[in-house]
Amino acid sequence: MSLSAPIVTGQDATAGSGFIPVVMPTGINVGDLVIAIPYTGGAFPSGGVTPSGWTNLINGATDQVYTQTVTSTAINGTTVDFPSGAGAGGSVRAIVIVIRSSFGLAKVDSTAQFLEASNSGTLAAITPNSGDSQLIFSECNSTSYTYTPALTNSITNPLSVYDIGVAFSADPIYSGTAYSYSTPSGGMWIGTFLITEASPPNAPSLTSPGNGAYIDATTNPSFTANNNSTDSANINARAMRLKASGATSYNYFNVSTGAFQSTIIWNAVNYAPGAAGTFGPISGLSNGITDNWSMADQEGLANLQGPFASDFTVNMQAGPSLSINAPAG
């Protein structure tokens, strides 16, 4: 993982007609995860139009949570108009959190939680997947409050009394721990997210046929490998290559046609981390040849492709036959 501590901004704004203008900070890079949390004094519309490129992760009563994995640095310093509800009044506020990703695309895990408009409460414990980072954020309309465990990187919006606190850990320190908060007056808004950064899978582990095995090609053998995910994402595509030992170029198996072709093809699959995946039975192979074969995987967060495993060899050879000729009958 190469996620780093977040950029956090808090801001007041004047609501427009049906929208809340939220200013993006500068210094956002491609691959970063941006979380925008606009607030309005009135109820959000249930069918508000989500700005292009954003995902409405959580639709709360007075707060909403939007996320975007950045694909262009043109977002820096721009104003994004998020939908607001009726009765928003003139004063609204927002939190913008940028999680820096120096390698690949970062995304929020499906276990995100968000509680709002309550003086106290507890977020359920979240257990991260391998490679996850954890983000906890809060805002409250009182300067007297309690967080357990304590939040770091607390900032105060200079234009109001609303305090914003953020805690971030690349190695989730709150794993499996409930998170409680309280304030003597007003309300608090608090959420916790697990964040996964996309990274290419490692080469799969080739399992069958075993290295150096002998197989009769006329049995139409299958080929199996276990995927080695590095970002807790499923494998969504796999490539398989094969060549006769000593040949200079590989051919690649096309699941759709059931045949090999000269150009690489990534066949759609859906394998959970660590699970085995099989191609076959494969016809058209010839006996009397030793073949080199291997596979490579593509992860499902950002379609990042990993390397081929070191080749296994398989000896294509028919088994011997036996004829009994004596004694006769």
Side-chain angles (χ1 to χ4, degrees):
M1 296 293 292
S2 51
L3 300 176
S4 58
I7 302 171
V8 183
T9 65
Q11 56 191 269
D12 280 340
T14 300
S17 176
F19 66 90
I20 296 175
V22 179
V23 180
M24 298 295 109
T26 59
I28 302 174
N29 299 322
V30 171
D32 290 352
L33 174 68
V34 181
I35 302 173
I37 310 165
Y39 165 87
T40 176
F44 273 97
S46 59
V49 178
T50 299
S52 176
W54 292 82
T55 297
N56 187 192
L57 181 69
I58 297 174
N59 189 342
T62 57
D63 286 71
Q64 293 203 359
V65 179
Y66 295 87
T67 66
Q68 177 181 164
T69 299
V70 177
T71 57
S72 170
T73 56
I75 190 175
N76 281 286
T78 61
T79 298
V80 180
D81 291 335
F82 293 99
S84 71
S91 179
V92 295
R93 68 180 185 275
I95 306 172
V96 179
I97 304 169
V98 181
I99 306 296
R100 306 304 301 273
S101 170
S102 60
F103 183 5
L105 304 176
K107 295 190 177 182
V108 176
D109 186 90
S110 59
T111 54
Q113 298 180 64
F114 183 63
L115 300 177
E116 63 181 348
S118 176
N119 288 0
S120 63
T122 301
L123 291 169
I126 290 180
T127 301
N129 297 311
S130 175
D132 282 348
S133 297
Q134 185 176 26
L135 170 74
I136 297 176
F137 77 89
S138 75
E139 58 175 322
C140 66
N141 57 3
S142 171
T143 56
S144 179
Y145 48 81
T146 301
Y147 303 138
T148 306
L151 285 178
T152 58
N153 299 337
S154 181
I155 67 170
T156 299
N157 186 336
L159 302 179
S160 71
V161 298
Y162 296 100
D163 181 87
I164 301 168
V166 173
F168 179 79
S169 175
D171 179 18
I173 55 177
Y174 306 125
S175 171
T177 302
Y179 192 90
S180 63
Y181 65 96
S182 64
T183 180
S185 62
M188 296 189 69
W189 295 262
I190 189 167
T192 181
F193 303 151
L194 292 180
I195 300 169
T196 297
E197 183 184 35
S199 57
N202 291 326
S205 299
L206 309 182
T207 59
S208 179
N211 195 18
Y214 284 79
I215 292 181
D216 186 342
T218 63
T219 63
N220 298 341
S222 296
F223 295 79
T224 301
N226 295 340
N227 80 71
N228 294 309
S229 172
T230 59
D231 58 12
S232 304
N234 281 12
I235 301 303
N236 67 6
R238 169 167 283 182
M240 177 187 170
R241 70 185 186 186
L242 181 143
K243 70 172 183 176
S245 293
T248 57
S249 60
Y250 290 92
N251 288 314
Y252 301 87
F253 185 63
N254 185 325
V255 170
S256 297
T257 64
F260 284 89
Q261 61 185 53
S262 60
T263 56
I264 191 169
I265 180 170
W266 292 90
N267 301 282
V269 298
N270 186 21
Y271 304 146
T278 298
F279 284 166
I282 297 176
S283 61
L285 300 176
S286 299
N287 282 328
I289 297 174
T290 297
D291 288 320
N292 291 38
W293 72 277
S294 182
M295 294 185 185
D297 287 334
Q298 173 179 285
E299 60 85 51
L301 277 178
N303 298 328
L304 301 178
Q305 296 167 353
F308 279 90
S310 297
D311 286 356
F312 271 19
T313 61
V314 58
N315 300 285
M316 296 300 180
Q317 181 174 310
S321 61
L322 177 66
S323 298
I324 298 176
N325 49 38

